[in-house]
Amino acid sequence: MITIMNNSDSEEEPCNERTSLMSAESPPVPSYQDGLQASEAGKFQAHRKRRTRSSHSPNNVADEDVSAAGFPVRESTLDDEEEELTLKYGAKHVIMLFVPVTLCMIVVVATIKSVHFYTEKNGQLIYTPFSEDTPSVGQRLLNSVLNTIIMISVIIVMTLFLVVLYKYRCYKFIHGWLILSSLMLLFLFTYIYLGEVLKTYNVAMDYPTLFLIIWNFGAVGMICIHWKGPLKLQQAYLIMISALMALVFIKYLPEWSAWVILGAVSIYDLMAVLCPKGPLRLLVETAQERNEPIFPALIYSSAMMWTVGMVKPDAAARGPSQQIQDADEDGRENHWSPSHADSHVSEMRGPVPTCPITSFEELKEEERGVKLGLGDFIFYSVLVGKAAATASGDWNTTLACFVAILIGLCLTLLLLAVFKKALPALPISITFGLVFYFSTDNIVRPFMDTLASHQLYI
Amino acid sequence: AFFWLVSLLLSSLIWFIAVKTSDPRDEPLQKGLLIFGVMFSVLLQEAFRFLYYKLLRKAIEGLVALSEDGCSPISIQQMAYVAGVGFGLMSGAFSMINLLADALGPGTVGIHGDSQLYFLTSAFMTMVLIFLHTFWGILFFHGCEHRRWWEITAVVVMHLAVSGSTFCNPLYVGSLVPSYMLMAAAAVWAYLLSGGSAQNLRRFLLCK
């Protein structure tokens, strides 16, 4: 979402995308902002920032404020057209989001199925201290619920912390936080991932080569995400870090806790975005009041928002806001407690290119993309990855969850087009996904297995 | 695809309940239940196809109302085709994907005395089913559009016939041959309904 906002700490440029968008011929199709899930408030030092937002209206409103003076009349006449355009390009936007979500899920599923490291149980995060190795079902359920409560409260604390920081304009702190998080994600997690993949395929690699690869990957990633870079590359990096984060979650969250957490997080998302006093909503409103880009969170944008005259193609430098926790390297094997950066916050630091002489008429429809928070990517991938990992080795379950999530996303985007305001992206998709996972695993699987063994077709 | 999935879910639910409440050691009963499950599932699939048609109808009306020149950007025939493909792909994926995953691993086909052509025939059967679903989609929607109930019943009967013919497996000639013939018939029918004709075909083939 992020309607192409300036860097929050940069000076407000008189003519930023928003103004140009507003003045454009066609009414700006608001960027979709999914529910802000900012679990930025990191835990301890490392904060899990989760921001999934696709806001639709805030940008619109903000834009209107800015350009209201200039084109008051145009606004009203554009309303009808807006409806049509919204629907016409709605389908396009849906496809634009389907592809990255699908890619992320494919990466996660492929890794889970081939690299066994991510399905081994090697300890738990400190955020989920209760173990699930208890003999009785009731105890296990209780533990998972307690884990969930702890996790959600951490997320809430982080979000509130972030909102407070934002309110008091501690931009430097936030940016530093984000940069540290993305550093950790890009370098450390990639190193681990690469190591495990090489181990699985029994490929030898010497340290200098490894260093070169990781260094290049990480450095280019940092630049792309936080500064400028080709749009496709940025999108690719965001997908990769989402996948990495999802893999970490899949590995370190115990079974039942993971499912309960998924459910709880989608409820939290719903409340945080829609309740009047919800932290995410406060964030959005504060940003609107200040006419600033909504707090840079990790957000995936699917199109450039610049007009033809612009230099920078990337619509938003999504900065992965990941807070890094003190990485306890030694504890890696046993206990990942300290270090986990949750890069959810999408920091949309749009390199707002000197938005200059924006030839408004040149602003093309296609340039208005859709934005989805990276936290959404991560949780979708966690759901599908968990389905792939734990569903008795069954691909049907994975496929069913995948379709369910995509349909949920479709519905959410439809609602977005109807309501035109920030909406949470998680609840519908996660609900569908969970329902389909449990039902397919327990009910459909025996049926299909029996059919296949008799080679019957329905 | 989603609608097919939901229909599958509901039909497996019914079958599951039926199986759980029956005696697992009674072989003929289990077989009977399975047959019942299959038939019921076919009927549910067609019911969901109908529901999907209703939904798309509403969507088209909405699109027409909103569009500038009074016609919707996507025609009902295109939707019929897409619906059919969606159903087919989902059905095919669900039938094949576990097989494919197992095919990667070590093993011998038919080592316990079953047919050695298992994978091959499964592949062909899946393919014919996917095609059939696509054609049925077109026929079904056309029937609903023009209120020709016999077309709809023809689709349902064909589906039941194809599923029923798979009960002959592993006597593959009993299931594959009729299915392919039905597919050819459905293909021709759907082609004619979509406005094709022998002339069009000839022109296309000769690249005029």
Side-chain angles (χ1 to χ4, degrees):
Chain A
M1 36 178 143
I2 323 21
T3 18
I4 333 143
M5 311 264 204
N6 299 340
N7 288 347
S8 43
D9 57 353
S10 62
E11 60 290 352
E12 296 282 289
E13 296 185 355
C15 144
N16 54 24
E17 307 75 88
R18 279 182 293 128
T19 38
S20 39
L21 261 191
M22 274 324 282
S23 346
E25 278 290 299
S26 16
V29 172
S31 32
Y32 300 102
Q33 241 178 7
D34 286 338
L36 268 170
Q37 278 241 322
S39 19
E40 331 238 17
K43 305 156 176 218
F44 325 100
Q45 284 127 28
H47 306 287
R48 284 177 183 244
K49 271 205 228 173
R50 248 167 271 200
R51 255 244 210 169
T52 61
R53 274 204 249 169
S54 62
S55 65
H56 211 117
S57 57
N59 308 317
N60 239 351
V61 174
D63 292 342
E64 282 168 22
D65 293 341
V66 177
S67 55
F71 307 93
V73 178
R74 284 172 93 177
E75 294 316 314
S76 51
T77 57
L78 293 174
D79 276 349
D80 301 327
E81 297 175 13
E82 203 174 308
E83 285 272 347
E84 271 177 47
L85 288 164
T86 312
L87 281 177
K88 255 198 219 169
Y89 296 98
K92 197 166 173 195
H93 293 160
V94 167
I95 303 294
M96 285 201 276
L97 276 188
F98 267 19
V99 173
V101 171
T102 311
L103 276 177
C104 194
M105 289 192 208
I106 288 178
V107 169
V108 170
V109 170
T111 311
I112 293 273
K113 288 283 185 188
S114 54
V115 178
H116 293 291
F117 171 74
Y118 287 103
T119 40
E120 293 161 13
K121 295 243 80 202
N122 272 345
Q124 296 181 202
L125 303 172
I126 35 176
Y127 309 136
T128 52
F130 295 96
S131 153
E132 282 194 8
D133 280 334
T134 57
S136 78
V137 171
Q139 180 76 5
R140 189 170 186 186
L141 196 62
L142 182 69
N143 280 354
S144 54
V145 170
L146 288 173
N147 278 342
T148 311
I149 293 177
I150 295 179
M151 185 79 117
I152 298 289
S153 41
V154 169
I155 293 176
I156 294 179
V157 163
M158 301 286 254
T159 314
L160 287 175
F161 184 51
L162 184 74
V163 172
V164 160
L165 280 181
Y166 191 62
K167 257 190 143 49
Y168 293 108
R169 301 181 188 261
C170 310
Y171 296 134
K172 295 281 179 220
F173 187 89
I174 296 177
H175 285 305
W177 191 2
L178 293 184
I179 289 183
L180 277 179
S181 308
S182 49
L183 257 177
M184 170 160 175
L185 204 71
L186 278 175
F187 286 101
L188 184 64
F189 286 175
T190 313
Y191 169 71
I192 295 170
Y193 179 77
L194 202 58
E196 292 304 323
V197 168
L198 290 176
K199 266 190 233 170
T200 306
Y201 290 106
N202 212 11
V203 173
M205 187 180 274
D206 52 312
Y207 273 113
T209 313
L210 188 71
F211 174 71
L212 198 68
I213 292 177
I214 302 256
W215 170 252
N216 279 323
F217 180 81
V220 175
M222 287 301 286
I223 293 176
C224 257
I225 294 172
H226 290 281
W227 195 45
K228 307 173 192 161
L231 183 67
K232 289 285 176 210
L233 198 59
Q234 239 175 19
Q235 293 174 337
Y237 267 104
L238 288 175
I239 293 175
M240 280 191 270
I241 60 178
S242 308
L244 283 175
M245 204 59 223
L247 285 170
V248 163
F249 271 137
I250 294 174
K251 181 173 171 62
Y252 288 109
L253 285 181
E255 296 277 337
W256 291 17
S257 305
W259 298 113
V260 184
I261 284 176
L262 273 174
V265 148
S266 48
I267 297 178
Y268 164 72
D269 195 16
L270 194 67
M271 295 201 322
V273 173
L274 296 179
C275 290
K277 280 297 170 196
L280 298 179
R281 189 157 165 167
L282 282 179
L283 207 61
V284 167
E285 283 165 7
T286 317
Q288 281 181 300
E289 281 166 31
R290 297 184 194 168
N291 266 346
E292 278 173 359
I294 299 223
F295 182 73
L298 278 174
I299 299 205
Y300 175 96
S301 163
S302 52
M304 312 176 356
M305 302 292 252
W306 312 106
T307 59
V308 176
M310 302 285 194
V311 182
K312 256 116 279 164
D314 58 322
R318 298 142 201 125
S321 33
Q322 290 161 14
Q323 276 111 35
I324 326 171
Q325 286 184 345
D326 302 329
D328 198 279
E329 310 281 346
D330 308 330
R332 174 149 114 67
E333 291 314 309
N334 326 333
H335 213 95
W336 257 118
S337 23
S339 39
H340 279 282
D342 215 359
S343 50
H344 300 284
V345 188
S346 19
E347 169 103 13
M348 231 17 185
R349 286 202 257 155
V352 178
T354 47
C355 146
I357 316 105
T358 35
S359 36
F360 303 145
E361 286 71 36
E362 291 173 46
L363 179 63
K364 303 179 191 48
E365 306 284 331
E366 300 80 58
E367 292 185 6
R368 284 188 233 126
V370 190
K371 296 178 177 58
L372 184 65
L374 279 199
D376 292 331
F377 276 81
I378 292 175
F379 280 115
Y380 293 161
S381 309
V382 166
L383 195 140
V384 175
K386 268 264 178 244
T390 64
S392 333
D394 193 29
W395 283 88
N396 283 344
T397 318
T398 313
L399 197 60
C401 287
F402 169 71
V403 172
I405 288 182
L406 285 185
I407 296 285
L409 190 62
C410 252
L411 280 176
T412 312
L413 286 175
L414 198 69
L415 284 180
L416 203 53
V418 168
F419 285 116
K420 300 200 195 337
K421 56 188 271 222
L423 281 187
L426 282 185
I428 301 179
S429 291
I430 298 277
T431 315
F432 275 3
L434 286 176
V435 163
F436 270 81
Y437 170 75
F438 285 113
S439 51
T440 312
D441 198 31
N442 298 321
I443 299 178
V444 176
R445 194 171 43 86
F447 186 47
M448 291 306 288
D449 285 344
T450 324
L451 284 183
S453 62
H454 292 279
Q455 218 173 7
L456 298 176
Y457 283 85
I458 53 168
Chain B
F2 183 67
F3 275 74
W4 186 88
L5 209 56
V6 176
S7 83
L8 178 68
L9 190 66
L10 287 176
S11 47
S12 353
L13 186 65
I14 306 281
W15 178 82
F16 189 75
I17 295 176
V19 165
K20 284 296 179 213
T21 55
S22 69
D23 181 8
R25 283 175 305 261
D26 192 357
E27 268 301 318
L29 180 63
Q30 293 297 318
K31 195 102 207 290
L33 274 181
L34 197 60
I35 296 180
F36 160 71
V38 168
M39 294 301 159
F40 189 73
S41 175
V42 167
L43 292 173
L44 258 184
Q45 278 180 43
E46 298 303 326
F48 269 83
R49 212 197 288 268
F50 184 67
L51 281 176
Y52 193 52
Y53 165 75
K54 281 262 174 261
L55 184 71
L56 285 182
R57 204 93 206 57
K58 286 222 163 61
I60 280 197
E61 282 162 16
L63 280 176
V64 166
L66 280 170
S67 79
E68 306 162 325
D69 49 1
C71 48
S72 102
I74 180 170
S75 74
I76 189 79
Q77 285 98 344
Q78 284 171 317
M79 284 197 182
Y81 175 70
V82 169
V85 170
F87 264 57
L89 279 179
M90 210 51 201
S91 139
F94 259 67
S95 314
M96 262 324 261
I97 203 157
N98 278 330
L99 242 67
L100 287 173
D102 285 336
L104 281 177
T108 313
V109 187
I111 196 169
H112 286 293
D114 301 311
S115 161
Q116 283 183 324
L117 298 170
Y118 187 78
F119 282 151
L120 210 56
T121 47
S122 300
F124 277 114
M125 197 66 209
T126 311
M127 182 175 83
V128 80
L129 252 190
I130 296 179
F131 276 133
L132 274 173
H133 268 295
T134 314
F135 299 135
W136 285 335
I138 300 178
L139 292 172
F140 195 91
F141 277 44
H142 186 264
C144 289
E145 276 289 300
H146 298 267
R147 298 269 182 273
R148 294 201 200 143
W149 306 118
W150 60 274
E151 275 184 19
I152 299 177
T153 38
V155 168
V156 178
V157 165
M158 264 200 274
H159 197 167
L160 282 171
V162 169
S163 281
S165 73
T166 59
F167 286 125
C168 300
N169 285 339
L171 186 66
Y172 294 122
V173 72
S175 70
L176 278 178
V177 173
S179 310
Y180 271 89
M181 294 197 316
L182 272 177
M183 182 190 89
V188 170
W189 194 6
Y191 182 67
L192 290 173
L193 279 183
S194 312
S197 66
Q199 265 188 334
N200 279 351
L201 195 59
R202 192 135 52 85
R203 256 186 266 149
F204 168 72
L205 286 174
L206 297 176
C207 295
K208 288 231 183 84

